[in-house]
Amino acid sequence: MTDFEECYKAVLKLRGIKSTKQRLAVLEVLCKSDALTAEEIFLNLRDSFLNLSLSTVYRILDTLSKNSVVTKSGLMEGGRALYEITPAAHRHNLICEKCHKITPLRDCPLAEYENDIEKKTGYAISGHKLEVYGICPNCK
Amino acid sequence: MTDFEECYKAVLKLRGIKSTKQRLAVLEVLCKSDALTAEEIFLNLRDSFLNLSLSTVYRILDTLSKNSVVTKSGLMEGGRALYEITPAAHRHNLICEKCHKITPLRDCPLAEYENDIEKKTGYAISGHKLEVYGICPNCK
DNA sequence: GTCTTTGCAAATCATTTGCATGGAA
DNA sequence: TTCCATGCAAATGATTTGCAAAGAC
């Protein structure tokens, strides 16, 4: 068993989720890239799995999202949802409008802004979604 | 003909889009609320229109989006897209997670942040999407 | 009159669900 | 052994499309 599997088995156990080879495989694929659709994950795994169904991938992503192991992005380009391993730190993505390359952004300038809004509107702010768009150096 | 119709007829003419009663009706509904799904718009109009089809609403929203008259929000809660009249000024929404009430936010703290990112990443930044979530005063 | 838009129904796409079987603890 | 997870196929929900008829300019 690889180090990778060991690690994610522990992560799942911690959350009370059973380890199955499908779940570990989904996590492995997600670890290798920034954000993928359910179908992209499915296609990545179809080769290595004799039988794997797309609905299983959806169910796994749902389970892992609910347990904060993965995060469902709000992007939804063309109606498709994107999933990624939940970043340890709060993070946003910078997305190239041509090649769709995703560059993670480290800092988030919104903490103060949220405080402000909380006072002005009376909402209890729970979070936000921020995605920045542009053209990456390669595509320029 | 109402002032409203006059106004939006002019807007459409300016963009080279033909004025039809369906298009004006969609615009009128959108003017009265903050952000709606295609189906909500359809239901709003169904009473006043003998025959109106949902696909027409989708086609109108598509046309108007492409011409920047309306803006398709990235929110997509539960897979449904939200549409609103393109705000004259750059604006973001604060969304209640219980009742889905939408409160527009006036200020945007991201201009400097975008400059920063542009320098650090080499991207040509074209814009961003920001939505803030929380519980509104009523639902608390 | 010409070309675009609409209504309707059928098609499509992403995602979800029911149910019997297989697998993890 | 006891449930929970999976595969498959069918269902659902949002959105799109083909085509003939109605409408805008």
Side-chain angles (χ1 to χ4, degrees), chain A residues 26-42:
Chain A
V26 167
L27 284 170
E28 182 159 22
V29 171
L30 280 175
C31 273
K32 291 187 199 146
S33 33
D34 263 322
L36 296 171
T37 64
E39 198 182 14
E40 284 166 344
I41 296 168
F42 171 67

mmCIF file with all atom_site columns, all heavy atoms in Angstrom, chain A residues 26-42:
data_model
loop_
_atom_site.group_PDB
_atom_site.id
_atom_site.type_symbol
_atom_site.label_atom_id
_atom_site.label_alt_id
_atom_site.label_comp_id
_atom_site.label_asym_id
_atom_site.label_entity_id
_atom_site.label_seq_id
_atom_site.pdbx_PDB_ins_code
_atom_site.Cartn_x
_atom_site.Cartn_y
_atom_site.Cartn_z
_atom_site.occupancy
_atom_site.B_iso_or_equiv
_atom_site.pdbx_formal_charge
_atom_site.auth_seq_id
_atom_site.auth_comp_id
_atom_site.auth_asym_id
_atom_site.auth_atom_id
_atom_site.pdbx_PDB_model_num
ATOM 1   N N   . VAL A 1 26 ? -10.670 8.226  -5.967  1.00 0.00 ? 26 VAL A N   1
ATOM 2   C CA  . VAL A 1 26 ? -11.159 9.577  -6.240  1.00 0.00 ? 26 VAL A CA  1
ATOM 3   C C   . VAL A 1 26 ? -10.255 10.602 -5.561  1.00 0.00 ? 26 VAL A C   1
ATOM 4   O O   . VAL A 1 26 ? -9.844  11.600 -6.162  1.00 0.00 ? 26 VAL A O   1
ATOM 5   C CB  . VAL A 1 26 ? -12.613 9.745  -5.759  1.00 0.00 ? 26 VAL A CB  1
ATOM 6   C CG1 . VAL A 1 26 ? -13.013 11.215 -5.739  1.00 0.00 ? 26 VAL A CG1 1
ATOM 7   C CG2 . VAL A 1 26 ? -13.564 8.968  -6.663  1.00 0.00 ? 26 VAL A CG2 1
ATOM 8   N N   . LEU A 1 27 ? -9.902  10.318 -4.318  1.00 0.00 ? 27 LEU A N   1
ATOM 9   C CA  . LEU A 1 27 ? -9.024  11.244 -3.605  1.00 0.00 ? 27 LEU A CA  1
ATOM 10  C C   . LEU A 1 27 ? -7.665  11.357 -4.288  1.00 0.00 ? 27 LEU A C   1
ATOM 11  O O   . LEU A 1 27 ? -7.112  12.448 -4.400  1.00 0.00 ? 27 LEU A O   1
ATOM 12  C CB  . LEU A 1 27 ? -8.842  10.782 -2.156  1.00 0.00 ? 27 LEU A CB  1
ATOM 13  C CG  . LEU A 1 27 ? -10.037 11.060 -1.253  1.00 0.00 ? 27 LEU A CG  1
ATOM 14  C CD1 . LEU A 1 27 ? -9.880  10.369 0.092   1.00 0.00 ? 27 LEU A CD1 1
ATOM 15  C CD2 . LEU A 1 27 ? -10.211 12.564 -1.073  1.00 0.00 ? 27 LEU A CD2 1
ATOM 16  N N   . GLU A 1 28 ? -7.162  10.218 -4.763  1.00 0.00 ? 28 GLU A N   1
ATOM 17  C CA  . GLU A 1 28 ? -5.858  10.265 -5.421  1.00 0.00 ? 28 GLU A CA  1
ATOM 18  C C   . GLU A 1 28 ? -5.906  11.141 -6.669  1.00 0.00 ? 28 GLU A C   1
ATOM 19  O O   . GLU A 1 28 ? -5.027  11.968 -6.894  1.00 0.00 ? 28 GLU A O   1
ATOM 20  C CB  . GLU A 1 28 ? -5.399  8.851  -5.781  1.00 0.00 ? 28 GLU A CB  1
ATOM 21  C CG  . GLU A 1 28 ? -4.021  8.860  -6.431  1.00 0.00 ? 28 GLU A CG  1
ATOM 22  C CD  . GLU A 1 28 ? -3.330  7.504  -6.335  1.00 0.00 ? 28 GLU A CD  1
ATOM 23  O OE1 . GLU A 1 28 ? -4.031  6.485  -6.161  1.00 0.00 ? 28 GLU A OE1 1
ATOM 24  O OE2 . GLU A 1 28 ? -2.088  7.490  -6.436  1.00 0.00 ? 28 GLU A OE2 1
ATOM 25  N N   . VAL A 1 29 ? -6.947  10.961 -7.470  1.00 0.00 ? 29 VAL A N   1
ATOM 26  C CA  . VAL A 1 29 ? -7.074  11.785 -8.682  1.00 0.00 ? 29 VAL A CA  1
ATOM 27  C C   . VAL A 1 29 ? -7.166  13.263 -8.323  1.00 0.00 ? 29 VAL A C   1
ATOM 28  O O   . VAL A 1 29 ? -6.499  14.106 -8.930  1.00 0.00 ? 29 VAL A O   1
ATOM 29  C CB  . VAL A 1 29 ? -8.318  11.373 -9.501  1.00 0.00 ? 29 VAL A CB  1
ATOM 30  C CG1 . VAL A 1 29 ? -8.571  12.367 -10.622 1.00 0.00 ? 29 VAL A CG1 1
ATOM 31  C CG2 . VAL A 1 29 ? -8.131  9.982  -10.068 1.00 0.00 ? 29 VAL A CG2 1
ATOM 32  N N   . LEU A 1 30 ? -7.971  13.562 -7.317  1.00 0.00 ? 30 LEU A N   1
ATOM 33  C CA  . LEU A 1 30 ? -8.145  14.965 -6.936  1.00 0.00 ? 30 LEU A CA  1
ATOM 34  C C   . LEU A 1 30 ? -6.847  15.569 -6.421  1.00 0.00 ? 30 LEU A C   1
ATOM 35  O O   . LEU A 1 30 ? -6.584  16.758 -6.609  1.00 0.00 ? 30 LEU A O   1
ATOM 36  C CB  . LEU A 1 30 ? -9.241  15.106 -5.886  1.00 0.00 ? 30 LEU A CB  1
ATOM 37  C CG  . LEU A 1 30 ? -10.665 15.069 -6.441  1.00 0.00 ? 30 LEU A CG  1
ATOM 38  C CD1 . LEU A 1 30 ? -11.674 15.102 -5.316  1.00 0.00 ? 30 LEU A CD1 1
ATOM 39  C CD2 . LEU A 1 30 ? -10.897 16.237 -7.382  1.00 0.00 ? 30 LEU A CD2 1
ATOM 40  N N   . CYS A 1 31 ? -6.047  14.754 -5.759  1.00 0.00 ? 31 CYS A N   1
ATOM 41  C CA  . CYS A 1 31 ? -4.774  15.253 -5.233  1.00 0.00 ? 31 CYS A CA  1
ATOM 42  C C   . CYS A 1 31 ? -3.839  15.696 -6.339  1.00 0.00 ? 31 CYS A C   1
ATOM 43  O O   . CYS A 1 31 ? -2.992  16.557 -6.139  1.00 0.00 ? 31 CYS A O   1
ATOM 44  C CB  . CYS A 1 31 ? -4.072  14.163 -4.430  1.00 0.00 ? 31 CYS A CB  1
ATOM 45  S SG  . CYS A 1 31 ? -4.591  14.154 -2.735  1.00 0.00 ? 31 CYS A SG  1
ATOM 46  N N   . LYS A 1 32 ? -3.993  15.075 -7.496  1.00 0.00 ? 32 LYS A N   1
ATOM 47  C CA  . LYS A 1 32 ? -3.051  15.353 -8.576  1.00 0.00 ? 32 LYS A CA  1
ATOM 48  C C   . LYS A 1 32 ? -3.431  16.563 -9.408  1.00 0.00 ? 32 LYS A C   1
ATOM 49  O O   . LYS A 1 32 ? -2.671  16.990 -10.261 1.00 0.00 ? 32 LYS A O   1
ATOM 50  C CB  . LYS A 1 32 ? -2.949  14.140 -9.506  1.00 0.00 ? 32 LYS A CB  1
ATOM 51  C CG  . LYS A 1 32 ? -2.264  12.944 -8.884  1.00 0.00 ? 32 LYS A CG  1
ATOM 52  C CD  . LYS A 1 32 ? -2.076  11.879 -9.949  1.00 0.00 ? 32 LYS A CD  1
ATOM 53  C CE  . LYS A 1 32 ? -1.822  10.504 -9.340  1.00 0.00 ? 32 LYS A CE  1
ATOM 54  N NZ  . LYS A 1 32 ? -2.395  9.437  -10.154 1.00 0.00 ? 32 LYS A NZ  1
ATOM 55  N N   . SER A 1 33 ? -4.638  17.075 -9.226  1.00 0.00 ? 33 SER A N   1
ATOM 56  C CA  . SER A 1 33 ? -4.982  18.257 -10.028 1.00 0.00 ? 33 SER A CA  1
ATOM 57  C C   . SER A 1 33 ? -5.752  19.255 -9.185  1.00 0.00 ? 33 SER A C   1
ATOM 58  O O   . SER A 1 33 ? -6.121  18.986 -8.052  1.00 0.00 ? 33 SER A O   1
ATOM 59  C CB  . SER A 1 33 ? -5.776  17.870 -11.260 1.00 0.00 ? 33 SER A CB  1
ATOM 60  O OG  . SER A 1 33 ? -6.578  16.761 -11.004 1.00 0.00 ? 33 SER A OG  1
ATOM 61  N N   . ASP A 1 34 ? -6.001  20.402 -9.792  1.00 0.00 ? 34 ASP A N   1
ATOM 62  C CA  . ASP A 1 34 ? -6.557  21.474 -8.994  1.00 0.00 ? 34 ASP A CA  1
ATOM 63  C C   . ASP A 1 34 ? -8.050  21.390 -8.782  1.00 0.00 ? 34 ASP A C   1
ATOM 64  O O   . ASP A 1 34 ? -8.523  21.460 -7.680  1.00 0.00 ? 34 ASP A O   1
ATOM 65  C CB  . ASP A 1 34 ? -6.171  22.830 -9.577  1.00 0.00 ? 34 ASP A CB  1
ATOM 66  C CG  . ASP A 1 34 ? -4.968  23.395 -8.851  1.00 0.00 ? 34 ASP A CG  1
ATOM 67  O OD1 . ASP A 1 34 ? -4.912  23.219 -7.625  1.00 0.00 ? 34 ASP A OD1 1
ATOM 68  O OD2 . ASP A 1 34 ? -4.097  23.966 -9.501  1.00 0.00 ? 34 ASP A OD2 1
ATOM 69  N N   . ALA A 1 35 ? -8.820  21.255 -9.826  1.00 0.00 ? 35 ALA A N   1
ATOM 70  C CA  . ALA A 1 35 ? -10.261 21.147 -9.676  1.00 0.00 ? 35 ALA A CA  1
ATOM 71  C C   . ALA A 1 35 ? -10.813 20.423 -10.881 1.00 0.00 ? 35 ALA A C   1
ATOM 72  O O   . ALA A 1 35 ? -10.467 20.728 -12.020 1.00 0.00 ? 35 ALA A O   1
ATOM 73  C CB  . ALA A 1 35 ? -10.915 22.523 -9.528  1.00 0.00 ? 35 ALA A CB  1
ATOM 74  N N   . LEU A 1 36 ? -11.660 19.432 -10.648 1.00 0.00 ? 36 LEU A N   1
ATOM 75  C CA  . LEU A 1 36 ? -12.161 18.590 -11.729 1.00 0.00 ? 36 LEU A CA  1
ATOM 76  C C   . LEU A 1 36 ? -13.669 18.434 -11.631 1.00 0.00 ? 36 LEU A C   1
ATOM 77  O O   . LEU A 1 36 ? -14.247 18.550 -10.548 1.00 0.00 ? 36 LEU A O   1
ATOM 78  C CB  . LEU A 1 36 ? -11.523 17.203 -11.637 1.00 0.00 ? 36 LEU A CB  1
ATOM 79  C CG  . LEU A 1 36 ? -10.006 17.119 -11.821 1.00 0.00 ? 36 LEU A CG  1
ATOM 80  C CD1 . LEU A 1 36 ? -9.514  15.723 -11.487 1.00 0.00 ? 36 LEU A CD1 1
ATOM 81  C CD2 . LEU A 1 36 ? -9.631  17.500 -13.244 1.00 0.00 ? 36 LEU A CD2 1
ATOM 82  N N   . THR A 1 37 ? -14.291 18.129 -12.767 1.00 0.00 ? 37 THR A N   1
ATOM 83  C CA  . THR A 1 37 ? -15.707 17.785 -12.745 1.00 0.00 ? 37 THR A CA  1
ATOM 84  C C   . THR A 1 37 ? -15.830 16.307 -12.391 1.00 0.00 ? 37 THR A C   1
ATOM 85  O O   . THR A 1 37 ? -14.871 15.541 -12.501 1.00 0.00 ? 37 THR A O   1
ATOM 86  C CB  . THR A 1 37 ? -16.357 17.997 -14.124 1.00 0.00 ? 37 THR A CB  1
ATOM 87  O OG1 . THR A 1 37 ? -15.766 17.093 -15.053 1.00 0.00 ? 37 THR A OG1 1
ATOM 88  C CG2 . THR A 1 37 ? -16.165 19.423 -14.607 1.00 0.00 ? 37 THR A CG2 1
ATOM 89  N N   . ALA A 1 38 ? -17.039 15.920 -11.990 1.00 0.00 ? 38 ALA A N   1
ATOM 90  C CA  . ALA A 1 38 ? -17.282 14.521 -11.654 1.00 0.00 ? 38 ALA A CA  1
ATOM 91  C C   . ALA A 1 38 ? -16.922 13.627 -12.837 1.00 0.00 ? 38 ALA A C   1
ATOM 92  O O   . ALA A 1 38 ? -16.310 12.575 -12.675 1.00 0.00 ? 38 ALA A O   1
ATOM 93  C CB  . ALA A 1 38 ? -18.740 14.332 -11.260 1.00 0.00 ? 38 ALA A CB  1
ATOM 94  N N   . GLU A 1 39 ? -17.284 14.065 -14.021 1.00 0.00 ? 39 GLU A N   1
ATOM 95  C CA  . GLU A 1 39 ? -17.017 13.240 -15.193 1.00 0.00 ? 39 GLU A CA  1
ATOM 96  C C   . GLU A 1 39 ? -15.528 13.107 -15.469 1.00 0.00 ? 39 GLU A C   1
ATOM 97  O O   . GLU A 1 39 ? -15.052 12.044 -15.853 1.00 0.00 ? 39 GLU A O   1
ATOM 98  C CB  . GLU A 1 39 ? -17.733 13.798 -16.421 1.00 0.00 ? 39 GLU A CB  1
ATOM 99  C CG  . GLU A 1 39 ? -17.834 12.754 -17.511 1.00 0.00 ? 39 GLU A CG  1
ATOM 100 C CD  . GLU A 1 39 ? -18.497 13.280 -18.764 1.00 0.00 ? 39 GLU A CD  1
ATOM 101 O OE1 . GLU A 1 39 ? -18.642 14.513 -18.900 1.00 0.00 ? 39 GLU A OE1 1
ATOM 102 O OE2 . GLU A 1 39 ? -18.873 12.461 -19.614 1.00 0.00 ? 39 GLU A OE2 1
ATOM 103 N N   . GLU A 1 40 ? -14.778 14.182 -15.279 1.00 0.00 ? 40 GLU A N   1
ATOM 104 C CA  . GLU A 1 40 ? -13.335 14.109 -15.496 1.00 0.00 ? 40 GLU A CA  1
ATOM 105 C C   . GLU A 1 40 ? -12.709 13.093 -14.545 1.00 0.00 ? 40 GLU A C   1
ATOM 106 O O   . GLU A 1 40 ? -11.845 12.317 -14.928 1.00 0.00 ? 40 GLU A O   1
ATOM 107 C CB  . GLU A 1 40 ? -12.702 15.488 -15.296 1.00 0.00 ? 40 GLU A CB  1
ATOM 108 C CG  . GLU A 1 40 ? -12.944 16.436 -16.472 1.00 0.00 ? 40 GLU A CG  1
ATOM 109 C CD  . GLU A 1 40 ? -12.623 17.884 -16.143 1.00 0.00 ? 40 GLU A CD  1
ATOM 110 O OE1 . GLU A 1 40 ? -12.506 18.234 -14.940 1.00 0.00 ? 40 GLU A OE1 1
ATOM 111 O OE2 . GLU A 1 40 ? -12.495 18.681 -17.069 1.00 0.00 ? 40 GLU A OE2 1
ATOM 112 N N   . ILE A 1 41 ? -13.165 13.104 -13.311 1.00 0.00 ? 41 ILE A N   1
ATOM 113 C CA  . ILE A 1 41 ? -12.660 12.136 -12.338 1.00 0.00 ? 41 ILE A CA  1
ATOM 114 C C   . ILE A 1 41 ? -13.004 10.731 -12.798 1.00 0.00 ? 41 ILE A C   1
ATOM 115 O O   . ILE A 1 41 ? -12.171 9.830  -12.789 1.00 0.00 ? 41 ILE A O   1
ATOM 116 C CB  . ILE A 1 41 ? -13.276 12.405 -10.955 1.00 0.00 ? 41 ILE A CB  1
ATOM 117 C CG1 . ILE A 1 41 ? -12.833 13.770 -10.439 1.00 0.00 ? 41 ILE A CG1 1
ATOM 118 C CG2 . ILE A 1 41 ? -12.893 11.303 -9.969  1.00 0.00 ? 41 ILE A CG2 1
ATOM 119 C CD1 . ILE A 1 41 ? -13.611 14.256 -9.230  1.00 0.00 ? 41 ILE A CD1 1
ATOM 120 N N   . PHE A 1 42 ? -14.242 10.571 -13.228 1.00 0.00 ? 42 PHE A N   1
ATOM 121 C CA  . PHE A 1 42 ? -14.717 9.278  -13.710 1.00 0.00 ? 42 PHE A CA  1
ATOM 122 C C   . PHE A 1 42 ? -13.855 8.774  -14.857 1.00 0.00 ? 42 PHE A C   1
ATOM 123 O O   . PHE A 1 42 ? -13.402 7.629  -14.862 1.00 0.00 ? 42 PHE A O   1
ATOM 124 C CB  . PHE A 1 42 ? -16.176 9.419  -14.147 1.00 0.00 ? 42 PHE A CB  1
ATOM 125 C CG  . PHE A 1 42 ? -16.734 8.226  -14.848 1.00 0.00 ? 42 PHE A CG  1
ATOM 126 C CD1 . PHE A 1 42 ? -16.921 7.029  -14.162 1.00 0.00 ? 42 PHE A CD1 1
ATOM 127 C CD2 . PHE A 1 42 ? -17.083 8.299  -16.178 1.00 0.00 ? 42 PHE A CD2 1
ATOM 128 C CE1 . PHE A 1 42 ? -17.447 5.920  -14.809 1.00 0.00 ? 42 PHE A CE1 1
ATOM 129 C CE2 . PHE A 1 42 ? -17.617 7.201  -16.832 1.00 0.00 ? 42 PHE A CE2 1
ATOM 130 C CZ  . PHE A 1 42 ? -17.789 6.003  -16.151 1.00 0.00 ? 42 PHE A CZ  1
#
